[in-house]
Amino acid sequence: MSQPQFDIDELLESFHVWLEAQSMDSLAAYAQRLADQVPDSAPLGMVLCLADNQDSLLAQTLAALTAGNGVLWPRAQPDDPVQTQALRVGLPLPIKSQITLTDWNPSADAAPDPLPQGVLYTGGTDALAQLQQQASRWPNHPVTIISCPEDVGDDFEIPLAQLQN
C-alpha cells in the first residue's frame, strides 16, 4: 500500500464533525490537531487498533487514518467494554468504510486476519507483553506495536511517523 485509498483531509473533517456532534470534545480537538500533521510518507498498510475504552479506540483510529492506513478492529467479544461493532455502526460512512472487523481477539493464539503491519495498543502492561509475544509469531513479523496513552487529553499524541514506511 503506497498511497492511501481515501482523501485524508476529507476523512479527518468528517471525523471531526462527527466527534463534535457526539460532544467528544477532547477527541474532536485531537482530530483538529491531526489535520495539521498529515504526513506525506507511505502508510504501513493495515493497523490493528486495540483499546480498553472507546475514546482510546477512536483516537487510535484517527491516528491510523491520518497516516493513510486502513484500520482493523477486533469484533466485539462478550466481555468487551468498547463494543466495537456497535461503535462502528454509528460512525460516518467514510470512516466506517475504512474499518475492517476481524474475529481475532487478543486472547487467541492465531494471527489476525487480515494481518496488520502495525498495532496501536491501549491497556495494561501484562496484556501488552502477551501481545508482543503473540505478534512475534505472526507471519509478517516484525510488526510495529505502539503503546498509546489511555487518557485522551490536551497533550495526547500518537507518533504518526511510526505508522508509515
Side-chain angles (χ1 to χ4, degrees):
M1 179 180 211
S2 59
Q3 293 299 318
Q5 303 300 312
F6 50 87
D7 184 300
I8 294 171
D9 293 327
E10 287 180 20
L11 198 74
L12 284 175
E13 179 61 24
S14 176
F15 220 149
H16 181 258
V17 168
W18 182 81
L19 290 166
E20 282 187 331
Q22 304 301 313
S23 299
M24 297 178 160
D25 298 333
S26 293
L27 282 166
Y30 180 56
Q32 191 66 38
R33 287 195 318 269
L34 285 175
D36 297 330
Q37 300 176 29
V38 176
D40 52 4
S41 300
L44 285 176
M46 291 297 284
V47 173
L48 175 63
C49 296
L50 298 174
D52 56 6
N53 66 73
Q54 178 178 299
D55 284 358
S56 293
L57 183 65
L58 290 171
Q60 290 175 5
T61 301
L62 274 164
L65 292 173
T66 300
N69 297 293
V71 174
L72 188 59
W73 283 3
R75 198 175 304 276
Q77 304 300 313
D79 60 347
D80 180 8
V82 179
Q83 295 302 309
T84 54
Q85 288 169 285
L87 177 60
R88 183 178 176 271
V89 167
L91 291 171
L93 184 58
I95 298 153
K96 184 183 343 191
S97 67
Q98 301 304 318
I99 299 170
T100 301
L101 293 175
T102 178
D103 289 326
W104 179 86
N105 69 69
S107 62
D109 280 337
D113 182 27
L115 280 168
Q117 285 73 42
V119 179
L120 292 172
Y121 172 82
T122 302
T125 55
D126 289 344
L128 175 60
Q130 179 183 352
L131 174 64
Q132 290 168 327
Q133 185 178 30
Q134 285 175 312
S136 71
R137 295 188 301 267
W138 294 349
N140 63 340
H141 181 73
V143 173
T144 301
I145 299 177
I146 301 169
S147 181
C148 305
E150 191 161 328
D151 183 33
V152 180
D154 291 342
D155 60 346
F156 181 87
E157 287 297 326
I158 294 174
L160 298 182
Q162 291 184 23
L163 295 172
Q164 297 200 301
N165 287 315

CSV table of all heavy atoms in Angstrom, one decimal, residues 21-48:
chain,number,residue,atom,x,y,z
A,21,ALA,N,-20.4,16.5,17.1
A,21,ALA,CA,-21.8,16.2,17.3
A,21,ALA,C,-22.1,15.2,18.4
A,21,ALA,O,-23.1,15.3,19.0
A,21,ALA,CB,-22.4,15.6,16.0
A,22,GLN,N,-21.1,14.4,18.7
A,22,GLN,CA,-21.2,13.4,19.8
A,22,GLN,C,-20.7,14.0,21.2
A,22,GLN,O,-20.7,13.4,22.2
A,22,GLN,CB,-20.3,12.2,19.5
A,22,GLN,CG,-20.7,11.5,18.2
A,22,GLN,CD,-22.1,11.0,18.2
A,22,GLN,OE1,-22.6,10.4,19.1
A,22,GLN,NE2,-22.7,11.3,17.0
A,23,SER,N,-20.4,15.3,21.2
A,23,SER,CA,-19.8,16.0,22.3
A,23,SER,C,-18.6,15.4,22.9
A,23,SER,O,-18.3,15.3,24.1
A,23,SER,CB,-20.9,16.1,23.4
A,23,SER,OG,-22.0,16.9,23.0
A,24,MET,N,-17.8,14.8,22.0
A,24,MET,CA,-16.5,14.2,22.4
A,24,MET,C,-15.4,15.3,22.1
A,24,MET,O,-14.6,15.2,21.2
A,24,MET,CB,-16.2,13.0,21.6
A,24,MET,CG,-17.2,11.9,21.8
A,24,MET,SD,-16.9,10.5,20.8
A,24,MET,CE,-17.8,9.2,21.6
A,25,ASP,N,-15.4,16.3,23.0
A,25,ASP,CA,-14.6,17.5,22.7
A,25,ASP,C,-13.1,17.2,22.7
A,25,ASP,O,-12.4,17.8,21.8
A,25,ASP,CB,-14.8,18.6,23.8
A,25,ASP,CG,-16.3,19.0,23.7
A,25,ASP,OD1,-16.9,19.0,22.7
A,25,ASP,OD2,-16.8,19.4,24.8
A,26,SER,N,-12.6,16.3,23.6
A,26,SER,CA,-11.1,16.0,23.6
A,26,SER,C,-10.7,15.3,22.3
A,26,SER,O,-9.7,15.6,21.7
A,26,SER,CB,-10.7,15.2,24.8
A,26,SER,OG,-10.9,15.9,26.0
A,27,LEU,N,-11.5,14.4,21.8
A,27,LEU,CA,-11.3,13.7,20.6
A,27,LEU,C,-11.4,14.6,19.4
A,27,LEU,O,-10.6,14.6,18.4
A,27,LEU,CB,-12.2,12.5,20.4
A,27,LEU,CG,-11.8,11.3,21.2
A,27,LEU,CD1,-12.9,10.3,21.3
A,27,LEU,CD2,-10.5,10.6,20.7
A,28,ALA,N,-12.4,15.5,19.4
A,28,ALA,CA,-12.5,16.5,18.3
A,28,ALA,C,-11.3,17.4,18.2
A,28,ALA,O,-10.8,17.7,17.1
A,28,ALA,CB,-13.8,17.3,18.5
A,29,ALA,N,-10.8,17.8,19.4
A,29,ALA,CA,-9.6,18.6,19.4
A,29,ALA,C,-8.4,17.9,18.9
A,29,ALA,O,-7.6,18.4,18.1
A,29,ALA,CB,-9.3,19.1,20.8
A,30,TYR,N,-8.3,16.6,19.2
A,30,TYR,CA,-7.2,15.7,18.7
A,30,TYR,C,-7.3,15.6,17.2
A,30,TYR,O,-6.3,15.7,16.4
A,30,TYR,CB,-7.3,14.4,19.4
A,30,TYR,CG,-6.2,13.4,18.9
A,30,TYR,CD1,-4.8,13.8,19.0
A,30,TYR,CD2,-6.5,12.2,18.4
A,30,TYR,CE1,-3.8,12.9,18.6
A,30,TYR,CE2,-5.5,11.3,18.0
A,30,TYR,CZ,-4.2,11.7,18.1
A,30,TYR,OH,-3.2,10.8,17.6
A,31,ALA,N,-8.5,15.4,16.6
A,31,ALA,CA,-8.8,15.3,15.2
A,31,ALA,C,-8.3,16.6,14.5
A,31,ALA,O,-7.7,16.6,13.4
A,31,ALA,CB,-10.2,15.0,14.9
A,32,GLN,N,-8.6,17.8,15.1
A,32,GLN,CA,-8.2,19.1,14.6
A,32,GLN,C,-6.7,19.2,14.6
A,32,GLN,O,-6.1,19.7,13.6
A,32,GLN,CB,-8.9,20.2,15.4
A,32,GLN,CG,-8.7,21.5,14.8
A,32,GLN,CD,-9.5,21.6,13.5
A,32,GLN,OE1,-10.6,21.1,13.4
A,32,GLN,NE2,-9.0,22.3,12.5
A,33,ARG,N,-6.0,18.8,15.6
A,33,ARG,CA,-4.6,18.8,15.7
A,33,ARG,C,-4.0,17.9,14.6
A,33,ARG,O,-3.0,18.3,14.0
A,33,ARG,CB,-4.0,18.4,17.0
A,33,ARG,CG,-4.3,19.4,18.1
A,33,ARG,CD,-3.4,19.2,19.4
A,33,ARG,NE,-3.3,17.8,19.8
A,33,ARG,CZ,-4.1,17.2,20.7
A,33,ARG,NH1,-5.1,17.9,21.2
A,33,ARG,NH2,-3.9,16.0,21.1
A,34,LEU,N,-4.6,16.8,14.4
A,34,LEU,CA,-4.0,15.8,13.4
A,34,LEU,C,-4.1,16.4,12.0
A,34,LEU,O,-3.3,16.1,11.1
A,34,LEU,CB,-4.8,14.5,13.5
A,34,LEU,CG,-4.4,13.6,14.6
A,34,LEU,CD1,-5.3,12.4,14.6
A,34,LEU,CD2,-3.0,13.2,14.6
A,35,ALA,N,-5.1,17.2,11.7
A,35,ALA,CA,-5.3,17.8,10.4
A,35,ALA,C,-4.1,18.6,10.0
A,35,ALA,O,-3.8,18.7,8.8
A,35,ALA,CB,-6.6,18.7,10.4
A,36,ASP,N,-3.3,19.1,10.9
A,36,ASP,CA,-2.1,19.9,10.6
A,36,ASP,C,-0.9,19.0,10.6
A,36,ASP,O,0.2,19.5,10.3
A,36,ASP,CB,-1.9,21.0,11.7
A,36,ASP,CG,-3.0,22.0,11.7
A,36,ASP,OD1,-3.6,22.2,10.6
A,36,ASP,OD2,-3.3,22.5,12.7
A,37,GLN,N,-1.0,17.7,10.8
A,37,GLN,CA,0.1,16.8,10.9
A,37,GLN,C,0.1,15.7,9.8
A,37,GLN,O,0.8,14.7,10.0
A,37,GLN,CB,0.2,16.1,12.3
A,37,GLN,CG,0.3,17.1,13.4
A,37,GLN,CD,0.2,16.3,14.8
A,37,GLN,OE1,0.6,15.1,14.8
A,37,GLN,NE2,-0.3,16.9,15.8
A,38,VAL,N,-0.7,15.8,8.8
A,38,VAL,CA,-0.9,14.7,7.8
A,38,VAL,C,0.5,14.5,7.2
A,38,VAL,O,1.0,15.4,6.5
A,38,VAL,CB,-1.9,15.1,6.8
A,38,VAL,CG1,-1.9,14.0,5.7
A,38,VAL,CG2,-3.3,15.2,7.4
A,39,PRO,N,1.1,13.3,7.4
A,39,PRO,CA,2.4,13.0,6.9
A,39,PRO,C,2.3,12.7,5.4
A,39,PRO,O,1.3,12.4,4.9
A,39,PRO,CB,2.9,11.8,7.6
A,39,PRO,CG,1.7,11.2,8.3
A,39,PRO,CD,0.6,12.3,8.3
A,40,ASP,N,3.5,12.8,4.7
A,40,ASP,CA,3.5,12.6,3.3
A,40,ASP,C,4.3,11.3,2.9
A,40,ASP,O,4.6,11.1,1.7
A,40,ASP,CB,3.9,13.8,2.5
A,40,ASP,CG,5.3,14.3,3.0
A,40,ASP,OD1,5.9,13.7,3.9
A,40,ASP,OD2,5.7,15.4,2.5
A,41,SER,N,4.6,10.5,3.9
A,41,SER,CA,5.3,9.2,3.6
A,41,SER,C,4.3,8.1,3.3
A,41,SER,O,3.1,8.3,3.4
A,41,SER,CB,6.1,8.8,4.8
A,41,SER,OG,7.1,9.8,5.1
A,42,ALA,N,4.8,7.0,2.9
A,42,ALA,CA,3.9,5.9,2.5
A,42,ALA,C,3.3,5.2,3.8
A,42,ALA,O,4.1,5.0,4.8
A,42,ALA,CB,4.6,4.8,1.7
A,43,PRO,N,2.0,4.9,3.8
A,43,PRO,CA,1.5,4.2,5.0
A,43,PRO,C,2.0,2.8,5.1
A,43,PRO,O,2.5,2.2,4.2
A,43,PRO,CB,0.0,4.3,4.7
A,43,PRO,CG,-0.2,4.5,3.3
A,43,PRO,CD,1.1,5.2,2.8
A,44,LEU,N,1.8,2.3,6.4
A,44,LEU,CA,2.2,0.9,6.6
A,44,LEU,C,1.3,-0.1,5.9
A,44,LEU,O,1.7,-1.1,5.3
A,44,LEU,CB,2.1,0.5,8.1
A,44,LEU,CG,3.2,1.1,9.0
A,44,LEU,CD1,2.9,0.7,10.5
A,44,LEU,CD2,4.6,0.5,8.6
A,45,GLY,N,0.0,0.1,6.0
A,45,GLY,CA,-1.0,-0.8,5.4
A,45,GLY,C,-2.1,-0.9,6.4
A,45,GLY,O,-2.8,0.1,6.6
A,46,MET,N,-2.4,-2.0,7.0
A,46,MET,CA,-3.4,-2.2,8.0
A,46,MET,C,-2.9,-2.0,9.3
A,46,MET,O,-1.8,-2.6,9.7
A,46,MET,CB,-4.1,-3.6,7.8
A,46,MET,CG,-4.9,-3.8,6.6
A,46,MET,SD,-6.3,-2.7,6.4
A,46,MET,CE,-7.4,-3.5,7.6
A,47,VAL,N,-3.6,-1.3,10.2
A,47,VAL,CA,-3.2,-1.1,11.6
A,47,VAL,C,-4.3,-1.6,12.5
A,47,VAL,O,-5.4,-1.2,12.4
A,47,VAL,CB,-2.9,0.4,11.9
A,47,VAL,CG1,-2.6,0.6,13.3
A,47,VAL,CG2,-1.7,0.9,11.0
A,48,LEU,N,-3.9,-2.6,13.3
A,48,LEU,CA,-4.8,-3.1,14.3
A,48,LEU,C,-4.9,-2.2,15.5
A,48,LEU,O,-3.9,-1.8,16.1
A,48,LEU,CB,-4.3,-4.5,14.7
A,48,LEU,CG,-5.1,-5.2,15.9
A,48,LEU,CD1,-6.5,-5.6,15.4
A,48,LEU,CD2,-4.3,-6.5,16.2
